[in-house]
Amino acid sequence: MAISKNTVVQFHYTLREGDELIETSAGSDPLAYLHGHGNIIPGLEKSMEGRDTGDQFDVTVACADAYGERKDDAAQQVPIKHLQGAKRWKPGMVAMIKTDQGMRQVTIIKAGLKHATVDTNHPLAGKELTFSVDIIDTREASEDEVAHGHAHGVGGHHH
């Protein structure tokens, strides 16, 4: 089944910036997403369009089609108690923080006793990213998946 809007896609990926390995799904369940609903970065989703089960390919995604350009004015001071992911914070560490738009990754710039200065840019903002993709399975989405706007089951969302 060729990938188009409302197709559930399961795939493995390896993500690199230049020669640096950033992450891979190898050795774990494939990632699942609902195509056409903005569940993955735009440049990767666009490269999936029309592909099918068994396809393997590499795609380089410009920062504008990934996590965006870096913003120089993205530093913000937040209470330490709002940071999730560790008990003690050091510069360079990545934390999760709840925002009006949901959970978001931030990078610690400076950590004090009660407050931290964080960089609200996504850690991969401003970077050109290369994905090696292996499409494991494609199928038509269920009515529930389309209504919820995401894939359910292995590699997807669980309710």
Side-chain angles (χ1 to χ4, degrees):
M1 167 177 211
I3 298 171
S4 61
K5 186 166 177 127
N6 297 332
T7 301
V8 173
V9 181
Q10 286 188 316
F11 69 102
H12 278 293
Y13 69 95
T14 298
L15 172 60
R16 298 183 188 288
E17 180 197 8
D19 292 333
E20 179 189 351
L21 174 66
I22 296 174
E23 66 183 29
T24 183
S25 65
S28 62
D29 287 333
L31 182 69
Y33 81 99
L34 179 59
H35 191 79
H37 291 261
N39 296 157
I40 60 175
I41 62 172
L44 182 57
E45 186 170 53
K46 183 178 178 184
S47 72
M48 295 279 207
E49 186 79 27
R51 299 198 185 255
D52 207 337
T53 300
D55 285 357
Q56 296 179 341
F57 63 96
D58 291 344
V59 61
T60 298
V61 179
C63 64
D65 292 324
Y67 296 97
E69 300 286 346
R70 287 193 60 76
K71 297 175 184 136
D72 292 333
D73 61 348
Q76 190 174 350
Q77 195 170 41
V78 298
I80 290 276
K81 66 182 180 182
H82 293 299
L83 301 176
Q84 298 177 20
K87 293 206 184 280
R88 300 186 66 105
W89 296 100
K90 295 180 183 172
M93 293 175 76
V94 175
M96 295 297 292
I97 191 164
K98 190 174 185 176
T99 71
D100 294 341
Q101 291 85 34
M103 296 303 287
R104 178 178 197 150
Q105 288 183 321
V106 296
T107 304
I108 307 299
I109 297 172
K110 181 180 173 186
L113 291 175
K114 295 190 178 208
H115 290 87
T117 304
V118 299
D119 179 352
T120 60
N121 283 299
H122 187 282
L124 297 176
K127 297 183 179 188
E128 182 178 85
L129 304 173
T130 300
F131 292 85
S132 296
V133 177
D134 181 5
I135 300 174
I136 305 301
D137 189 39
T138 59
R139 65 172 173 79
E140 189 175 326
S142 70
E143 288 180 22
D144 277 350
E145 289 171 317
V146 173
H148 293 172
H150 56 251
H152 294 165
V154 175
H157 187 80
H158 300 276
H159 288 277

